[in-house]
Amino acid sequence: MPADPLHSAGKPQRSTTSQPPSGSGASAIEVRRSARRRRTVSAYREGDRTVVLIPARMSEAEEKRWVTVMLDKLAAQESKRVLGDAELSERAERLSAQYFEGRARPTSVRWVTNQNTRWGSCTPSEGSIRLSHRLQGMPEYVVDYVLLHELAHLLVPGHGPRFWRLLEAYPRTERAKGYLEGVVAAERLPHPPGARDE
């Protein structure tokens, strides 16, 4: 039976596992070095970790740079996948369990196409959460932030200090808010000279 090509021939492969950068919201990262791998770098998700495959000869600085590049590439690929309403509900349930001890329990979570001036909305009396279709295709951490924002409204109706304390638990709150502010700012930019609307 042929051996796994990552573990056969030449020098033994070195594998290191590390936690992701603080606040990245990513899984643990395992870097696997292979003497057989000459130039290519690849990455994939394996359960609750991200595996990055690199040539054994790479320096630690190159390794660090390539891990960042590959994490960004995987995130971009994943963000293109559109979640359905059922997946959105499951995601809300996981986020509530992780950040709010499962106390936020929506009765429904769904995408809507009639919200063009807000990213999400919540009706606490009904337990319903709606996310704007404009979020589809944005990075997962941004969608997670908006979901958490609306889940927090099931626990605290307004935007007072108690509400924002709840969201402090999510490490990418500020980054996600900045991303959304950037999208809004970009939409307000005038078209460059010579550009035509089609």
Side-chain angles (χ1 to χ4, degrees):
M1 183 161 131
D4 179 350
L6 292 175
H7 296 99
S8 62
K11 287 191 264 178
Q13 167 185 308
R14 192 178 89 202
S15 177
T16 57
T17 303
S18 64
Q19 291 304 314
S22 176
S24 70
S27 57
I29 301 159
E30 181 179 341
V31 177
R32 295 180 186 167
R33 289 175 171 264
S34 170
R36 295 185 67 163
R37 189 173 281 268
R38 297 285 176 221
R39 278 181 262 198
T40 60
V41 176
S42 61
Y44 59 92
R45 304 283 193 215
E46 186 177 80
D48 63 348
R49 69 180 55 232
T50 301
V51 178
V52 182
L53 308 171
I54 64 171
R57 63 174 175 71
M58 269 193 186
S59 68
E60 285 190 31
E62 288 174 309
E63 173 183 319
K64 189 175 180 181
R65 183 177 72 82
W66 274 106
V67 165
T68 301
V69 166
M70 297 312 288
L71 287 176
D72 288 346
K73 192 172 183 178
L74 278 175
Q77 289 169 352
E78 290 166 352
S79 73
K80 288 178 183 165
R81 192 176 72 85
V82 175
L83 301 174
D85 288 349
E87 292 170 303
L88 204 56
S89 290
E90 289 170 16
R91 190 180 205 117
E93 189 177 319
R94 280 196 312 272
L95 289 168
S96 177
Q98 185 174 356
Y99 295 102
F100 303 146
E101 299 169 344
R103 293 178 295 134
R105 295 187 182 105
T107 55
S108 69
V109 182
R110 61 191 175 92
W111 296 107
V112 293
T113 56
N114 62 350
Q115 287 187 154
N116 294 314
T117 59
R118 56 174 62 183
W119 298 113
S121 62
C122 173
T123 307
S125 61
E126 297 173 2
S128 61
I129 291 175
R130 295 159 304 281
L131 295 192
S132 172
H133 72 287
R134 296 167 59 224
L135 289 164
Q136 293 174 339
M138 289 190 187
E140 288 185 4
Y141 75 90
V142 175
V143 176
D144 286 352
Y145 164 72
V146 176
L147 262 176
L148 278 167
H149 185 107
E150 302 310 329
L151 285 166
H153 280 308
L154 294 175
L155 305 173
V156 179
H159 288 105
R162 247 181 84 222
F163 174 84
W164 292 111
R165 272 196 300 276
L166 280 174
L167 287 179
E168 284 174 4
Y170 183 57
R172 303 184 90 178
T173 290
E174 290 307 314
R175 185 173 179 189
K177 283 168 66 176
Y179 184 98
L180 292 171
E181 287 167 4
V183 169
V184 169
E187 288 172 352
R188 291 183 183 145
L189 289 173
H191 292 292
R196 286 182 288 153
D197 290 331
E198 299 196 17

